[in-house]
């Protein structure tokens, strides 16, 4: 395994990348004002309704915990770690495959976009490959990792129906119809599940990085 200080430095840098991107988006929102949202509260609620923002918040929290203790374990942490990996990977894939270029970005927006959609996903995935810790992923962990994304999907459609706003164009049921929006959601869900299965298989086959005894839980 690589030295602990290298692992801690990587995780700390990952937290800094994700956290800086989120903070930049919050600052831009505060400086720009309510805009089309109508109120500052609604603007901030919309900001934190984006899968990108929530994924990077999770990445930041998990990375801080790993920076403090690279071999961290525990049932809840296993799920959080897997969700951080999968959600940020899906964020990077969907943005760069579907959403890139749809909105003209300011200079600050271009920087935060790079942090949130490119550097953060790369840092998390590469960090997991290099450092683990593993093994940490079993069927139960994969199953529980689905709860947060499913809750976000439900929240997005319920809130969208109430307020008439959706965070992403392909999820806009009012504009595209529920059949199209749900089909798009299904495609993303399949990507998530394929990634979960692949990460789970790799987790069992690769060596442990920062790991202490493999199946220890707290």
């Amino acid at each position: 395994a690589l030295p602990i200080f290298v692992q801690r430095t990587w995780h700390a840098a990952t937290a800094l990348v994700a956290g800086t991107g989120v903070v930049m988006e919050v600052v831009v929102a505060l400086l720009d004002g309510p805009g089309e949202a109508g109120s500052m509260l609604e603007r901030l609620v919309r900001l934190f309704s984006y899968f990108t923002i929530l994924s990077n918040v999770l990445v930041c929290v998990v990375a801080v915990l790993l920076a403090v203790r690279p071999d961290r374990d525990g049932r809840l942490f296993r799920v959080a770690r897997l969700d951080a990996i999968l959600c940020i990977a899906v964020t990077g894939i969907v943005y760069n495959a579907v959403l890139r270029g749809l909105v003209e970005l300011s200079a600050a927006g271009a920087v935060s976009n790079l942090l949130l959609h490119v550097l953060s996903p790369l840092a998390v995935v590469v960090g997991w490959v290099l450092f683990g810790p593993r093994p940490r992923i079993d069927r139960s962990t994969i199953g529980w990792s689905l709860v947060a994304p499913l809750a976000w999907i439900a929240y997005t459609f319920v809130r969208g129906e109430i307020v008439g706003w959706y965070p992403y164009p392909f999820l806009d049921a009012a504009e595209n119809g529920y059949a199209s929006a749900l089909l798009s959601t299904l495609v993303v869900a399949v990507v998530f599940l394929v990634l979960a299965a692949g990460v789970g298989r790799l987790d069992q086959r690769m060596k442990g990085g920062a790991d202490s005894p493999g199946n220890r839980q707290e």
Side-chain angles (χ1 to χ4, degrees):
L2 292 171
I4 293 297
F5 80 89
V6 174
Q7 300 177 39
R8 284 178 168 160
T9 300
W10 186 280
H11 294 312
T14 300
L16 182 62
V17 166
T20 300
V22 172
V23 169
M24 287 184 68
E25 288 293 317
V26 172
V27 170
V28 167
L30 292 173
L31 292 177
D32 285 352
E36 296 180 358
S39 72
M40 201 64 243
L41 176 60
E42 176 65 15
R43 174 74 186 266
L44 292 174
V45 169
R46 289 185 181 187
L47 177 63
F48 284 93
S49 294
Y50 282 98
F51 194 79
T52 293
I53 298 298
L54 295 174
S55 296
N56 276 279
V57 169
L58 179 59
V59 163
C60 186
V61 172
V62 169
V64 167
L65 292 173
L66 286 171
V68 173
R69 181 178 167 188
D71 68 344
R72 186 176 296 276
D73 199 2
R75 294 185 185 277
L76 180 60
F77 182 77
R78 289 187 178 201
V79 175
R81 173 64 163 157
L82 180 56
D83 264 330
I85 296 166
L86 296 177
C87 289
I88 202 64
V90 168
T91 293
I93 292 170
V94 172
Y95 176 82
N96 290 288
V98 178
L99 300 173
R100 176 179 288 276
L102 293 183
V103 177
E104 186 175 348
L105 300 172
S106 64
V111 173
S112 64
N113 179 71
L114 176 66
L115 294 172
L116 296 171
H117 293 113
V118 179
L119 296 184
S120 180
L122 286 174
V124 171
V125 173
V126 172
W128 175 75
V129 171
L130 291 177
F131 310 126
R134 62 180 67 85
R136 292 289 191 270
I137 304 170
D138 53 22
R139 290 183 181 179
S140 175
T141 302
I142 292 175
W144 281 108
S145 75
L146 302 178
V147 173
L150 289 174
W152 178 82
I153 290 170
Y155 162 80
T156 297
F157 281 112
V158 170
R159 189 172 192 277
E161 182 67 26
I162 294 171
V163 304
W165 178 86
Y166 297 82
Y168 300 104
F170 61 88
L171 295 181
D172 193 334
E175 181 70 23
N176 304 319
Y178 270 101
S180 176
L182 290 173
L183 179 60
S184 297
T185 303
L186 179 61
V187 171
V188 175
V190 169
V191 172
F192 189 96
L193 289 171
V194 170
L195 286 174
V199 168
R201 183 176 292 268
L202 285 173
D203 178 73
Q204 298 299 319
R205 293 191 174 188
M206 296 172 70
K207 291 186 178 180
D211 204 8
S212 54
N215 291 315
R216 179 176 56 82
Q217 294 186 353
E218 296 170 342

